[in-house]
Amino acid sequence: MLQQLFSPSVQHTLDVIGIFVFAISGALMGVRKNFDVFGIAVLAEVTALGGGLFRDLIIGAVPPAAFTDLGYFITPLLAALMVVFLHPHVERIQVAVNVFDAAGLGLFCVAGTIKAYEYGLGLTQSATLGLATAVGGGVLRDVLANEVPSLLRWDRDLYAVPAIVGSTMAVLCLRYDVLTPVTSGLAVVTAFVLRLLAMKYHWRAPRAWNRRSTVREE
């Protein structure tokens, strides 16, 4: 189905772009944590490929694409190498990195949903794996860097919600048999725009109602 929506070359190019941008965010985390070159490379690889690896293992698409396509494996290393030498300049274009990260979020949540559905999962399960594809690498990055995952922090702009919306739109298109390059592209763009708006206006998920906790906030 993915091949019917996009040509293999277009799909591969989109995947590599998304992987590259996610890898940059992982490598920058390594720099901020004062990791060595190996640690920076590990965070870049995990951030870029973690979500897709998790999805492929769950649906039985083995060996995962990250281990059969050398480009998928090499791209995060190139991103890490760039950050090692140019991280002050990369930090200065953090806004641009965030924009591309939002684009990768939209692309991966929709592509992950469709791939899971292709492997026989139900609509709800496919949407869940689409979400995991988009955010799984970031969660692994934060855990390895000894951080509370951004996904779970109330003081971070919405990240999972845009991916949930994109995945939901994809499964609705599958449910009603209207999945086309246009409708799948609309799902990607919707997730992308929601993430950009969340960053611009600092939209955040609500916390517990009438919260009276005495636990110190981190």
Side-chain angles (χ1 to χ4, degrees):
M1 191 175 296
L2 281 172
Q3 289 76 14
Q4 295 172 357
L5 291 174
F6 305 106
S7 69
S9 61
V10 170
Q11 181 63 40
H12 188 269
T13 300
L14 293 174
D15 284 346
V16 168
I17 292 173
I19 287 170
F20 184 78
V21 175
F22 280 179
I24 286 177
S25 71
L28 285 173
M29 171 71 82
V31 172
R32 295 184 190 118
K33 287 288 186 175
N34 202 29
F35 287 1
D36 62 16
V37 173
F38 180 77
I40 292 171
V42 168
L43 281 192
E45 290 280 357
V46 165
T47 308
L49 304 176
L53 281 172
F54 176 77
R55 177 204 60 215
D56 288 350
L57 291 174
I58 291 294
I59 64 179
V62 292
F67 291 97
T68 58
D69 188 319
L70 189 60
Y72 287 0
F73 186 79
I74 294 297
T75 298
L77 296 180
L78 295 177
L81 187 64
M82 184 184 78
V83 169
V84 166
F85 290 104
L86 301 175
H87 64 87
H89 305 287
V90 176
E91 292 276 13
R92 282 199 289 269
I93 60 169
Q94 186 64 52
V95 173
V97 172
N98 288 340
V99 170
F100 283 107
D101 181 84
L105 181 80
L107 173 66
F108 281 14
C109 73
V110 173
T113 299
I114 296 172
K115 185 169 183 178
Y117 185 78
E118 286 180 330
Y119 275 77
L121 269 65
L123 295 175
T124 301
Q125 295 87 342
S126 296
T128 301
L129 274 188
L131 170 63
T133 303
V135 306
V139 171
L140 291 173
R141 173 202 64 207
D142 292 344
V143 170
L144 289 177
N146 199 29
E147 293 270 335
V148 175
S150 298
L151 195 68
L152 305 179
R153 295 186 58 166
W154 71 270
D155 59 341
R156 298 297 172 88
D157 302 332
L158 293 179
Y159 196 80
V161 171
I164 291 171
V165 172
S167 298
T168 301
M169 290 179 66
V171 296
L172 288 175
C173 291
L174 289 165
R175 170 66 178 81
Y176 294 104
D177 198 26
V178 292
L179 188 71
T180 65
V182 173
T183 57
S184 60
L186 179 61
V188 171
V189 170
T190 300
F192 171 60
V193 171
L194 283 176
R195 172 58 180 160
L196 291 183
L197 290 174
M199 289 189 293
K200 179 176 177 60
Y201 296 107
H202 302 296
W203 292 347
R204 293 166 183 170
R207 290 189 282 174
W209 185 256
N210 290 331
R211 180 175 177 272
R212 294 290 185 271
S213 174
T214 59
V215 176
R216 183 177 63 86
E217 293 179 354
E218 296 292 338

